[in-house]
Amino acid sequence: MALTKESLLIEKCLSLTAFIETSKKHPEFYSQLSGNFDGQGISYGPLQWCLGQGSLQPLLKEVAQKYPNIFDNAFGLSAPAVKDMLNKIDIKSQVLWSAAIQRNNKILDDWKKKFYDLGQTKEMQQIQLSAVKSVFNKSVAMLSIYGVKSQRAVALFFDIRVQNGSISEEVKLDILNTFTKQNVIDEVEKLKIIAIKRAEAANPKWQADVKARKLCIAAGSGVVHGSQINLERDFFITMQNAS
């Protein structure tokens, strides 16, 4: 079955942000697992869903409930321990559990393989894609707010949703006022303003990273985490209308 225009754009946005998040490409990013370097316990998949934010647990619970054989095959004798962790009431206990599968914030090899095998199944990938679709829909809904319509704009909002959560009402008004005061009509210039304003609102510790990442997407190319990225060449994301 041929992919729809929407599903193709979801794939493009996912591939871009997943590469920035994990340095991996399809299908490797579905299995990418990170340790507790950021206090989140473990982070997994193309968008690095994590225990600390409670975003990873629903995905693991879903595969355990819908596809118990796949879950058990991936985790083997450790499957009951993972299920027990998922049934813990509080997130803090779940994050503490993750200490047993890593050393110095690096995942132990046998656990890395368990999560890798799980992420390479089509069932787990579909569960992850369903979560991605929700982020994508919220990103598309932002187009009309800022008067933009390109694939690149969707990619920028998608990356903001993944890395930063959203754009606050205060920052939104600042962006729109800047458009008006500077009489900004060009879409790329709008995207650059959005990128800069959102980066300025980030935690000071991460502002430089957020700015480089968002400006790369807004401008269409740049260096992020040491990698030279060109949206059109590498991910087929253009300035064509998203719809």
Side-chain angles (χ1 to χ4, degrees):
M1 180 182 294
L3 292 172
T4 64
K5 188 173 182 180
E6 179 186 79
S7 61
L8 281 170
L9 186 52
I10 291 173
E11 188 177 283
K12 293 174 184 179
C13 291
L14 173 61
S15 294
L16 169 63
T17 292
F19 179 74
I20 295 173
E21 286 280 318
T22 71
S23 76
K24 303 294 183 181
K25 294 186 176 182
H26 182 280
E28 296 295 315
F29 56 55
Y30 285 111
S31 295
Q32 183 64 18
L33 184 65
S34 303
N36 193 35
F37 70 96
D38 54 0
Q40 301 303 315
I42 57 173
S43 302
Y44 184 60
L47 303 189
Q48 291 291 274
W49 295 285
C50 59
L51 292 179
Q53 296 297 318
S55 55
L56 175 57
Q57 292 89 323
L59 306 187
L60 293 177
K61 285 181 179 179
E62 185 174 350
V63 71
Q65 291 166 1
K66 288 184 176 179
Y67 310 106
N69 289 339
I70 288 173
F71 186 93
D72 291 344
N73 286 340
F75 290 111
L77 295 176
S78 300
V82 180
K83 291 176 184 176
D84 182 60
M85 177 273 290
L86 293 173
N87 288 328
K88 292 182 183 297
I89 297 174
D90 62 301
I91 288 177
K92 184 177 180 181
S93 296
Q94 293 170 327
V95 171
L96 286 174
W97 169 88
S98 72
I101 71 169
Q102 53 191 302
R103 296 290 182 273
N104 299 319
N105 300 331
K106 292 185 177 181
I107 305 296
L108 298 175
D109 287 344
D110 59 331
W111 279 94
K112 193 179 296 184
K113 185 179 187 306
K114 296 177 196 299
F115 277 95
Y116 180 88
D117 290 345
L118 180 65
Q120 292 305 297
T121 65
K122 67 179 187 302
E123 291 83 1
M124 187 56 179
Q125 290 175 11
Q126 282 303 314
I127 287 172
Q128 293 184 58
L129 282 172
S130 293
V132 168
K133 179 73 181 296
S134 175
V135 177
F136 177 83
N137 289 341
K138 292 175 182 177
S139 305
V140 171
M142 298 172 75
L143 294 176
S144 60
I145 296 173
Y146 299 95
V148 291
K149 55 187 179 181
S150 65
Q151 294 181 9
R152 193 187 298 178
V154 177
L156 176 61
F157 293 137
F158 184 86
D159 197 71
I160 287 172
R161 285 283 177 183
V162 171
Q163 186 187 29
N164 314 108
S166 64
I167 296 177
S168 70
E169 187 68 18
E170 181 181 2
V171 174
K172 181 187 82 171
L173 292 175
D174 186 19
I175 291 169
L176 295 177
N177 286 335
T178 300
F179 288 173
T180 301
K181 289 178 182 177
Q182 298 182 11
N183 193 28
V184 181
I185 299 174
D186 180 72
E187 176 145 344
V188 174
E189 291 306 310
K190 284 186 174 184
L191 297 182
K192 288 179 180 178
I193 290 170
I194 293 168
I196 292 170
K197 295 292 187 182
R198 186 58 189 86
E200 289 174 347
N203 185 316
K205 182 179 179 180
W206 307 111
Q207 277 184 9
D209 177 72
V210 176
K211 185 176 182 180
R213 177 168 170 167
K214 299 300 178 283
L215 276 177
C216 169
I217 299 174
S221 63
V223 177
V224 183
H225 302 160
S227 295
Q228 181 70 47
I229 294 174
N230 182 292
L231 269 67
E232 185 166 0
R233 180 195 66 207
D234 301 328
F235 300 98
F236 309 103
I237 296 172
T238 72
M239 288 301 294
Q240 292 180 356
N241 287 358
S243 59

